Amino acid sequence: AAAYSLTGNGTDWQSANTFVVSPEQTASYTLYAKTSAGCTATAENATTVTVNPLPTGFTLSSATICADGLATLTVTQEETGVVTPAVYSLTGNNWQEETTFEVNPGATTVYPLYAKTAAGCSATGAAAGTVTVNQLPEPPVISDVDRCGTGDVTLTACTSSGEPLTYTWIVGGDAPLTNANGTLTVPSMNQSTTYSVMATNAAGCNSMVQTAAITIRSAPTLVSRSGKDVTYVSTGIDGTHLIYDTYNVTEVTVEGLPAGLTGELSGTTFAISGITDSLGVYEYTVTANDVLCDVSVQASGAIQTLANFVILDPVASWWSAVYECSKLGEGWQLPEIGKHKFATYCPPLMEHARYDGYVTVWYRRYDSTARCSSTKVSCDFTCYWDPYYLIYDVDYDRGYNSAVERWTLCVQWAG
């Protein structure tokens, strides 16, 4: 054939053997053919084009969220007089049978709705869904709060946006409180805690939660560990003589110490230490300051220095002994109390106190061949104030193999 037509009239003959048709509903087409001589014929069978309908009657909801939120969009489908879709999509891909979509856009976004029938025919919904995104308010600026002692505490939250905001406060474990002025007064606070603030704008969107500390600084304290009004310090002996425990203290000073003694604050401990050769009674004052709250506390006491003494080279047999002692040239005498006890008068300056401590005693024995051996023995001592003598409990080996025993007893106070 030289030409073809779907109508057989003279208007649509064409030499090509392909026809493009777009019926709105199912239709049948008859093919006509014609030779170059003008002879026509009709095809033995007609061709039918079946038209499947597009989905109809579906729309998508809209939503409003905050910038950190999640929106749910819902498909609404009419039930009568429509072609019901089989699947839906917001992009034309990723089809689903469910009629809800969850989205979290960072800004306001319009979402078209696509639907497709079981026959594969797709269409776009009559109404797109719009997700309106409201921005979050800026986080409020807050700071740590320090207060000296129990009382009201005022908290403040600031923002620079200028938009109207309300503030939600949580102080410690208390229930949330809301106000619109960015200031909260908490009455009669007596302990440290934390507080949190969140700002909310007119759209109902919440800022990030900000948290800070509330520190209630109680009054500083200064407590002596010994608890004694008078502290005895031996001259010539280096060491720590007094310790004070402190709380909420930033600096400590001391006045009135004997020469050679100083005070130092380390952490929460204030120690008076050093070595002195001064004799006398020294009344001192320790002042502890909390510079953050401009508050001070004081403690006072007395240091009485005593000359350190030794028992000078006494000579004794097992059965009797007289010991000559010296304290800055002053004579001391130790009568023998028994085989294992020696006594000396207590220093006069200690008459009105009881002093228990620890003493180390060295014994040196010389035998008949003048050979020397030494033994170091530790023992406790107790001062008794009537009749004012210091007892040393001594336990040592008599040494039966020695023809001659000479003992040198040296005492060093460590108390």
Side-chain angles (χ1 to χ4, degrees):
Y4 302 94
S5 173
L6 292 181
T7 63
N9 58 35
T11 61
D12 64 342
W13 293 98
Q14 64 181 44
S15 60
N17 60 359
T18 302
F19 292 87
V20 176
V21 294
S22 56
E24 294 183 358
Q25 59 187 6
T26 299
S28 295
Y29 295 91
T30 301
L31 178 63
Y32 300 89
K34 182 169 61 174
T35 66
S36 57
C39 298
T40 63
T42 302
E44 294 181 358
N45 62 309
T47 298
T48 299
V49 175
T50 302
V51 177
N52 292 316
L54 299 178
T56 58
F58 56 93
T59 57
L60 186 64
S61 67
S62 295
T64 299
I65 61 171
C66 297
D68 59 347
L70 187 68
T72 299
L73 303 180
T74 303
V75 176
T76 300
Q77 179 67 55
E78 298 179 18
E79 296 182 359
T80 59
V82 296
V83 178
T84 302
V87 290
Y88 303 92
S89 171
L90 296 182
T91 61
N93 298 299
N94 303 318
W95 297 93
Q96 64 178 50
E97 295 180 358
E98 291 81 6
T99 57
T100 58
F101 296 87
E102 288 188 343
V103 293
N104 58 342
T108 298
T109 304
V110 177
Y111 292 91
L113 177 62
Y114 301 89
K116 185 164 58 175
T117 64
C121 298
S122 61
T124 303
T130 299
V131 176
T132 302
V133 178
N134 293 314
Q135 297 304 309
L136 306 182
E138 65 178 87
V141 177
I142 63 176
S143 60
D144 293 339
V145 177
D146 289 331
R147 194 194 188 289
C148 300
T150 300
D152 297 350
V153 173
T154 299
L155 308 176
T156 302
C158 301
T159 59
S160 60
S161 65
E163 63 177 322
L165 299 171
T166 58
Y167 298 88
T168 301
W169 308 78
I170 298 178
V171 180
D174 295 342
L177 299 172
T178 301
N179 61 24
N181 58 11
T183 300
L184 178 70
T185 298
V186 184
S188 304
M189 291 203 66
N190 58 10
Q191 61 182 2
S192 299
T193 186
T194 59
Y195 73 102
S196 300
V197 185
M198 178 181 69
T200 303
N201 59 20
C205 296
N206 299 323
S207 72
M208 294 177 59
V209 176
Q210 302 294 93
T211 300
I214 301 174
T215 301
I216 306 299
R217 293 182 64 84
S218 56
T221 60
L222 182 67
V223 180
S224 170
R225 289 189 184 178
S226 70
K228 296 179 179 180
D229 295 331
V230 179
T231 299
Y232 298 98
V233 175
S234 295
T235 59
I237 295 181
D238 193 9
T240 298
H241 310 293
L242 272 168
I243 294 178
Y244 285 86
D245 292 315
T246 69
Y247 177 72
N248 276 351
V249 168
T250 53
E251 63 180 19
V252 181
T253 59
V254 60
E255 296 180 350
L257 296 178
L261 301 190
T262 58
E264 181 179 3
L265 178 65
S266 177
T268 60
T269 301
F270 180 73
I272 295 176
S273 58
I275 183 171
T276 183
D277 292 323
S278 301
L279 285 173
V281 178
Y282 299 85
E283 294 183 353
Y284 66 89
T285 300
V286 180
T287 303
N289 302 311
D290 179 6
V291 297
L292 296 178
C293 292
D294 194 22
V295 179
S296 299
V297 63
Q298 288 186 327
S300 59
I303 291 178
Q304 184 169 338
T305 56
L306 305 173
N308 186 32
F309 72 91
V310 294
I311 302 175
L312 300 178
D313 196 23
V315 178
S317 68
W318 180 255
W319 305 110
S320 63
V322 175
Y323 297 91
E324 294 296 331
C325 300
S326 173
K327 174 176 179 283
L328 295 181
E330 184 178 345
W332 294 77
Q333 194 174 44
L334 291 115
E336 183 178 4
I337 303 301
K339 293 182 179 180
H340 304 301
K341 292 182 184 293
F342 297 86
T344 182
Y345 289 105
C346 296
L349 294 177
M350 298 174 64
E351 288 183 2
H352 301 292
R354 177 181 174 86
Y355 193 88
D356 298 333
Y358 179 80
V359 69
T360 301
V361 184
W362 285 268
Y363 299 91
R364 182 171 297 145
R365 179 176 61 81
Y366 299 88
D367 61 18
S368 57
T369 59
R371 290 177 299 179
C372 178
S373 61
S374 297
T375 302
K376 181 178 179 180
V377 180
S378 298
C379 58
D380 295 328
F381 71 88
T382 303
C383 239
Y384 297 91
W385 298 110
D386 188 9
Y388 310 139
Y389 58 81
L390 174 63
I391 294 181
Y392 302 93
D393 291 318
V394 180
D395 188 4
Y396 55 87
D397 185 356
R398 179 170 184 258
Y400 290 101
N401 296 326
S402 301
V404 178
E405 293 180 344
R406 298 181 62 193
W407 295 84
T408 300
L409 176 63
C410 299
V411 180
Q412 178 185 20
W413 272 6

